[in-house]
Amino acid sequence: MAPAMILLWACSLILLPASVVAQDLGVNWGTIASHLLDPTIVVNMIKDNGIRKVKLFDADPYTLNALAGTDIEVMLGIPNSFLHNLSEQYSTAQAWVKQNVTAYLGKGGVNIRYVAVGNEPFLTNYNGSFTNSTFPAMKNIHKALNEAGVGKQIKVSTALNGDVYATASYKPSDGMFRDDIADVMGQICEFLQENDSPFIINIYPFFDLYQNPSFPREYAFFDNQITVDDNGLEYHNVFDASIDTLVAALQKAKAPDVPVIVGEVGWPTDGDFYATQQNAQRFYNGLIKKMVSNEGTPRRPNKNPDVYMFCLLDEDFKNIDPGMFERHWGIFTFDGQPKFPMDLSGKGENKSLVGARGVPYLARQWCVHNKDADNQEDLAKKVEYACNNTDCTSLAAGASCSGMGTDMNASVAFNMYYQMQDQAEEACDFQGLAKLVKQDPSNGTCQFPIMIEKYQATPPPGAPNSKSASGPSGSDSDSPGSNFGDSSSFDPSTFPSPPFLFLILVGICIVLLA
């Protein structure tokens, strides 16, 4: 019996997740990408890594069906584009709850715990577009959940950006909500307190560093010797300071006991000097250790808020107005491969995440610049065309493929175009300036991906309608911490690419080919 028991114990270790994840740690799962992984593959990857909480930006039926029966705790988002209808017509809220919540509950269903009504609806650049509709929409969804008998188990809130509060002195104790939304924030805080619902806030230390040249770099991380005093309370990182600025604002709004959830926090890995895998690994290591310590913040000690990492996978259709890094927030690449060692248990072990299994890749071939072609004078225009229709953010200054010369720039652009065109033969031509190779041209930090087969969504038997009651299912912009707009109506045919990047590429080509 003893050998059999030992074998059983050993097998159980193999089947368990790679690490015990910090209890209050979750992840955002965004889907603004040209080639999405099968949701079943993604859910298996989430389970393999022991992650137990997921935040979604919309009620996609294929994603929800993949999560059914897993007991993974789900925060379900409602896009900003739905807020007006939900606020104006209670029947719309009833229909939304029926189709997107109660249809997935029950034995073997989805463990929906929160509904986030709107995604950063009070961003200053929205110019008040959602100020009058967000809270009424929240109340209608809450009423519909109560009517359906699930209002106690599923809490209603809204995911807000850190720009809803401020402090003139830079001390957390002086935190207060913005004057232009003070009234509605007071109503929302009262609603949250009365219904034991959380305040969901998105916090991005990366943006403090990226947007403010004078910001002390080390204060963005957790492993530093910086101390900022606020009337006897000591702060060692901007993450804690941001949370306590919100806590002070909640106190001034007479809602001191509202629980806080950090809906988004993370660090990008490409597209900018600060957006590196090394910085991301350092940030996450510090964050997860803090989560495990359960030390809380100076104003709320001994209990950390729930935290949702942003995000799970890279998204190559993200709006890049905030910066080139927007498509590189994933702790995994677009195809579900881990980017750097990351110990989700917070024990400081140098271990890798578990990558996606069963990913269907296209052929192992790449499209690169043909240096032997005669018409090299046309190269700059062809690179510009490729970048206009694909993702060239890895070529931005300070990014993973920057500073490697004209040939490498052209190869990166041509390969990204070719891969995103599903390796169509005509996509690797560019009038002879491109050619196919079978040997991986990756060089150091500059990686040449192979595209995955496009996921063909087919409704599972008995699945709820794939359309929401208030309109088609679609993600709002999940651009973190930025004052930029909703990308739910993003059109891939007008794929954005940075004009200044083209000028750089054109300039390099002209100089080198002169």
Side-chain angles (χ1 to χ4, degrees):
M1 289 297 292
M5 290 299 293
I6 292 172
L7 180 60
L8 180 62
W9 175 77
C11 290
S12 69
L13 288 180
I14 295 173
L15 295 174
L16 286 173
S19 63
V20 178
V21 177
Q23 181 179 355
D24 300 320
L25 188 67
V27 68
N28 285 267
W29 179 359
T31 55
I32 308 178
S34 62
H35 291 67
L36 295 173
L37 280 172
D38 185 326
T40 302
I41 291 178
V42 178
V43 169
N44 285 334
M45 181 179 71
I46 292 171
K47 291 164 58 180
D48 287 343
N49 286 282
I51 298 171
R52 304 303 305 167
K53 299 175 187 284
V54 169
K55 178 169 167 280
L56 307 176
F57 291 91
D58 63 7
D60 174 65
Y62 307 103
T63 301
L64 290 172
N65 276 286
L67 286 164
T70 64
D71 202 37
I72 293 172
E73 186 178 294
V74 175
M75 181 185 293
L76 189 58
I78 298 180
N80 292 339
S81 54
F82 292 3
L83 294 179
H84 178 74
N85 286 345
L86 290 171
S87 67
E88 290 287 325
Q89 301 175 11
Y90 175 61
S91 60
T92 302
Q94 287 177 300
W96 190 91
V97 167
K98 180 179 180 180
Q99 291 191 8
N100 300 298
V101 177
T102 56
Y104 294 96
L105 301 181
K107 186 177 181 180
V110 183
N111 182 18
I112 301 173
R113 296 293 302 278
Y114 304 101
V115 175
V117 183
N119 184 47
E120 301 188 336
F122 298 151
L123 281 174
T124 53
N125 72 298
Y126 286 154
N127 297 316
S129 298
F130 307 109
T131 300
N132 296 326
S133 58
T134 300
F135 185 46
M138 291 173 62
K139 290 191 293 184
N140 280 344
I141 290 293
H142 175 69
K143 181 180 177 181
L145 289 170
N146 282 338
E147 187 179 82
V150 295
K152 292 188 179 297
Q153 71 187 67
I154 302 176
K155 301 298 182 180
V156 173
S157 187
T158 180
L160 297 171
N161 183 270
D163 77 341
V164 297
Y165 55 80
T167 169
S169 66
Y170 297 99
K171 291 183 177 181
S173 59
D174 291 329
M176 61 179 61
F177 293 115
R178 280 192 347 240
D179 289 342
D180 61 309
I181 56 171
D183 289 343
V184 67
M185 287 306 304
Q187 296 170 28
I188 288 175
C189 289
E190 182 180 3
F191 169 87
L192 297 177
Q193 185 156 269
E194 288 178 352
N195 295 286
D196 195 27
S197 294
F199 192 109
I200 304 171
I201 191 67
N202 299 340
I203 297 175
Y204 282 93
F206 171 81
F207 274 97
D208 290 304
L209 187 60
Y210 174 74
Q211 295 174 341
N212 185 357
S214 63
F215 184 85
R217 182 181 184 276
E218 291 298 296
Y219 198 50
F221 299 94
F222 296 87
D223 56 340
N224 62 68
Q225 303 300 316
I226 296 177
T227 299
V228 175
D229 181 80
D230 181 6
N231 299 320
L233 297 178
E234 293 185 349
Y235 292 88
H236 303 284
N237 58 80
V238 71
F239 179 81
D240 284 355
S242 296
I243 292 175
D244 277 3
T245 304
L246 169 60
V247 170
L250 288 170
Q251 291 171 336
K252 293 180 178 68
K254 299 180 180 180
D257 300 323
V258 171
V260 172
I261 287 179
V262 178
E264 298 177 18
V265 63
W267 199 281
T269 59
D270 204 355
D272 181 72
F273 290 103
Y274 294 121
T276 66
Q277 293 188 10
Q278 292 77 14
N279 282 343
Q281 183 178 14
R282 179 186 177 191
F283 179 81
Y284 278 118
N285 282 344
L287 173 67
I288 297 170
K289 286 179 182 178
K290 175 180 174 57
M291 295 289 295
V292 172
S293 73
N294 214 29
E295 65 184 13
T297 66
R299 283 185 170 269
R300 286 192 175 178
N302 305 319
K303 181 64 176 76
N304 287 320
D306 287 5
V307 168
Y308 291 80
M309 298 179 290
F310 189 90
C311 60
L312 188 64
L313 300 160
D314 281 351
E315 300 170 82
D316 61 3
F317 268 4
K318 287 285 294 294
N319 189 318
I320 55 175
D321 285 346
M324 305 300 163
F325 47 80
E326 279 297 326
R327 295 173 181 166
H328 305 280
W329 286 94
I331 57 176
F332 293 90
T333 54
F334 73 97
D335 54 345
Q337 302 311 306
K339 294 181 179 179
F340 48 82
M342 189 172 178
D343 178 19
L344 296 179
S345 71
K347 296 178 180 179
E349 299 176 7
N350 191 33
K351 60 172 62 177
S352 179
L353 298 171
V354 180
R357 294 177 283 118
V359 178
Y361 289 95
L362 299 181
R364 188 173 172 79
Q365 57 192 27
W366 297 264
C367 181
V368 299
H369 173 218
N370 180 10
K371 293 182 287 187
D372 296 326
D374 293 331
N375 55 332
Q376 297 294 329
E377 66 276 5
D378 295 332
L379 183 62
K381 290 183 179 180
K382 302 306 178 186
V383 169
E384 179 179 349
Y385 175 84
C387 283
N388 261 326
N389 294 277
T390 190
D391 176 24
C392 284
T393 54
S394 65
L395 292 173
S400 60
C401 294
S402 66
M404 293 190 174
T406 302
D407 178 54
M408 197 65 160
N409 285 349
S411 293
V412 168
F414 291 162
N415 185 66
M416 289 303 300
Y417 179 83
Y418 173 68
Q419 300 294 342
M420 290 182 72
Q421 294 293 322
D422 300 310
Q423 294 189 355
E425 182 178 355
E426 63 273 14
C428 187
D429 183 14
F430 294 96
Q431 294 184 338
L433 286 168
K435 64 179 181 179
L436 283 179
V437 296
K438 298 292 185 179
Q439 185 174 352
D440 187 352
S442 298
N443 182 2
T445 61
C446 187
Q447 297 297 302
F448 280 64
I450 299 173
M451 191 48 69
I452 61 176
E453 295 179 8
K454 281 187 176 178
Y455 165 62
Q456 300 297 325
T458 55
N465 192 338
S466 63
K467 299 296 183 182
S468 165
S470 54
S473 175
S475 295
D476 275 305
S477 169
D478 49 359
S479 299
S482 57
N483 293 332
F484 292 87
D486 184 340
S487 65
S488 58
S489 59
F490 180 70
D491 180 3
S493 67
T494 58
F495 199 95
S497 190
F500 75 83
L501 179 59
F502 302 153
L503 294 177
I504 292 173
L505 292 171
V506 171
I508 291 174
C509 291
I510 291 174
V511 169
L512 295 181
L513 294 174

